[in-house]
């Protein structure tokens, strides 16, 4: 050992004091460095901003959604009228359901009733009577309705001109014409008789003068008076006949009015019966015939065969209209509802096209429902400005009902605000647990 170096006892008080005392430069600069680091972290936390992401389920929906065709009652699918994949127009008959009636006969009856209604509205009643609405024997559920209609139809035809009421009306009109002609004849006869009565009165006046001049005897005057009365009597009789003729005419006019009212009632009754049967036919058609709700392409919802048992409400067909665009639907949980706004960006990852390979589809929220759905979620509509063009520059083919997940990019928040919020939440939870 070098004799100049004196060994130091580390366990001595001097050594311990020296070792425990930090250097002066650390005490001077260490606090400043730590403060600067903390200040830098706070500044970064204030400067750094990033948005929250709200995740939701996504459904791609066409503007014109496919329309389902449902079975209207339990029974059997009697006959298929359109093949799977065929193009159909709205109100095209797709299938017949099991029924006691013959569909072709129901269709023929429907056409006949439509024509009869048109004739009735135009006042062409004779055309209705020539339609022969009797050759319908397989109407099944509508047979009782048709029998009631047929009874009113027969009564209506009888009220027309070739029928009973029509013949009776013609006879009454003829009788009324005859009475009017008889009135004219009686009036002419009365005129003549009136002139003859005036002449008789003048002659009787002359006879009175002759009696005053004692040219004739009183007995001769009596005879002349008797002749006067005899010549005045036909005039009075004709006058009574005219009164009786007028009464008879009034009676015939009343009968004619009553007959016309009866005919009018028969027309109203028939029109009402016609409307009731038409309504019954329409109801039967909607119950036993399945129609296409819109123009589009028909697809079977499942395996569909003739004479297949079906249940009420069972989905049998889907009619897909021509696609004229599509949009997205997302359902937002209520706890995230306050963060979502119209105009926010949406990143969509379709389940059928993994985003790692195909990329994501970009969208924008254009509307948000004001009323929550039954499960409490809020429905929002997402517009796809570039269609199904992905971030990987790929155009995805459109398919009805594509699903996936959506990430809504909400408003940006400072990192410091999030730290303070989490700290407040931690204190609040601790306080509730302590209480």
């Amino acid at each position: 050992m070098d004799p100049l170096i004196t060994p130091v006892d580390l366990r001595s008080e001097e050594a311990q004091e020296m070792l425990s005392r930090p250097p002066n430069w650390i005490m001077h600069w260490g606090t400043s460095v730590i403060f600067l680091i903390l200040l830098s972290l706070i500044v970064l936390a204030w400067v750094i901003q990033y948005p929250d992401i709200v995740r939701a389920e996504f459904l791609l929906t066409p503007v014109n959604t496919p329309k389902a065709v449902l079975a209207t009652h339990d029974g059997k699918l009697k006959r298929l009228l359109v093949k799977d994949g065929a193009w159909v127009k709205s109100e095209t008959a797709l299938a017949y359901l099991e029924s006691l009636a013959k569909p072709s006969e129901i269709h023929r009856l429907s056409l006949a009733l439509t024509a009869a209604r048109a004739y009735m509205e135009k006042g062409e009643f004779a055309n209705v009577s020539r339609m022969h609405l009797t050759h319908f024997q397989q109407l099944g559920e509508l047979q009782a309705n048709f029998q009631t209609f047929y009874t009113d139809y027969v009564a209506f035809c009888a009220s027309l001109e070739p029928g009973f009421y029509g013949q009776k009306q013609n006879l009454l009109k003829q009788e009324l014409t005859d009475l009017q002609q008889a009135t004219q004849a009686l009036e002419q006869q009365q005129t003549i008789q009136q002139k003859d009565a005036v002449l008789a009165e003048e002659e009787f006046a002359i006879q009175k003068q002759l009696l005053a001049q004692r040219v004739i005897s009183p007995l001769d005057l009596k005879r002349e008076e008797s002749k006067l009365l005899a010549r005045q009597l036909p005039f009075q009789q004709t006058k009574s006949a005219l009164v009786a003729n007028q009464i008879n005419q009034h009676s015939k006019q009343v009968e004619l009015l009553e007959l016309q009212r009866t005919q009018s009632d028969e027309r109203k009754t028939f029109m009402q019966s016609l409307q009731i049967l038409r309504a019954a036919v329409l109801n039967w058609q909607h119950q036993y015939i399945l129609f296409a709700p819109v123009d589009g392409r028909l697809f079977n919802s499942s395996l569909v065969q003739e004479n297949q048992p079906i249940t009420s409400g069972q989905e049998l067909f889907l009619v897909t209209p021509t696609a004229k665009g599509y949009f997205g639907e997302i359902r937002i949980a209520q706890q995230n509802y306050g963060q979502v706004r119209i105009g926010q960006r949406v990143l969509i990852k379709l389940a059928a096209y993994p985003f790692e390979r195909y990329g994501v589809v970009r969208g924008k929220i254009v509307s948000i429902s004001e009323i929550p759905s039954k499960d409490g979620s809020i429905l929002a509509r997402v517009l796809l400005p570039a269609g199904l063009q992905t971030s990987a520059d790929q155009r995805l083919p459109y398919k009805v009902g594509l699903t996936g997940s959506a990430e809504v990019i909400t408003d940006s928040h400072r990192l410091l605000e999030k730290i303070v919020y989490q700290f407040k939440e931690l204190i609040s939870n601790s306080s509730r647990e302590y209480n």
Side-chain angles (χ1 to χ4, degrees), residues 190-387:
Q190 188 182 37
T191 301
I192 295 173
Q193 291 171 345
Q194 186 176 12
K195 291 179 179 181
D196 184 60
V198 171
L199 292 175
E201 290 177 356
E202 291 176 352
E203 291 178 3
F204 184 70
I206 294 173
Q207 292 298 328
K208 282 185 176 182
Q209 293 177 0
L210 293 176
L211 177 63
Q213 298 173 1
R214 299 182 179 276
V215 176
I216 61 173
S217 64
L219 182 60
D220 293 331
L221 184 61
K222 291 292 185 182
R223 292 192 184 101
E224 293 300 328
E225 185 179 2
S226 177
K227 291 178 182 180
L228 173 62
L229 295 174
R231 292 173 67 178
Q232 288 178 338
L233 181 60
F235 176 78
Q236 297 298 328
Q237 291 175 341
T238 303
K239 187 177 180 179
S240 299
L242 280 171
V243 173
N245 185 284
Q246 290 294 330
I247 294 174
N248 203 0
Q249 286 188 51
H250 292 160
S251 177
K252 296 300 179 183
Q253 289 173 347
V254 169
E255 288 185 41
L256 191 59
L257 289 175
E258 290 179 350
L259 183 60
Q260 291 173 347
R261 185 181 65 180
T262 301
Q263 290 177 308
S264 177
D265 291 343
E266 292 293 347
R267 285 195 292 269
K268 291 178 181 179
T269 302
F270 172 71
M271 191 65 181
Q272 183 178 6
S273 182
L274 176 66
Q275 297 286 30
I276 292 174
L277 184 58
R278 286 188 74 249
V281 169
L282 290 175
N283 182 63
W284 185 95
Q285 290 175 332
H286 284 90
Q287 188 173 2
Y288 293 99
I289 303 178
L290 301 181
F291 295 95
V294 293
D295 297 348
R297 195 166 298 280
L298 176 72
F299 296 99
N300 296 340
S301 296
S302 59
L303 180 61
V304 178
Q305 298 178 341
E306 293 185 351
N307 295 317
Q308 170 185 337
I310 56 175
T311 58
S312 178
Q314 178 180 344
E315 183 179 298
L316 300 176
F317 309 103
L318 282 175
V319 180
T320 305
T322 302
K324 296 182 179 179
Y326 42 83
F327 59 91
E329 289 183 354
I330 59 174
R331 294 190 175 276
I332 305 166
Q334 286 202 16
Q335 59 266 29
N336 297 324
Y337 176 63
Q339 303 180 60
V340 179
R341 301 283 187 276
I342 293 176
Q344 290 176 338
R345 294 181 298 119
V346 182
L347 301 180
I348 302 161
K349 303 173 182 177
L350 295 175
Y353 303 96
F355 73 94
E356 296 89 351
R357 177 179 176 184
Y358 295 94
V360 297
V361 177
R362 294 182 175 87
K364 182 175 67 174
I365 295 179
V366 292
S367 67
I368 302 175
S369 175
E370 297 292 336
I371 303 175
S373 58
K374 293 182 179 179
D375 60 357
S377 61
I378 306 296
L379 183 67
R381 176 173 291 194
V382 178
L383 177 67
L384 308 178

Side-chain angles (χ1 to χ4, degrees), residues 151-205:
T151 301
D152 296 332
Y153 172 69
V154 171
F156 169 73
C157 292
S159 69
L160 299 179
E161 187 169 340
F164 170 75
Y165 288 103
Q167 294 177 4
K168 186 176 181 180
Q169 184 179 25
N170 291 335
L171 289 175
L172 286 173
K173 288 180 178 179
Q174 185 61 46
E175 290 180 4
L176 190 57
T177 301
D178 294 341
L179 289 173
Q180 291 172 350
Q181 292 175 353
T183 299
Q184 294 177 357
L186 288 172
E187 288 175 347
Q188 293 175 359
Q189 183 179 347
Q190 188 182 37
T191 301
I192 295 173
Q193 291 171 345
Q194 186 176 12
K195 291 179 179 181
D196 184 60
V198 171
L199 292 175
E201 290 177 356
E202 291 176 352
E203 291 178 3
F204 184 70

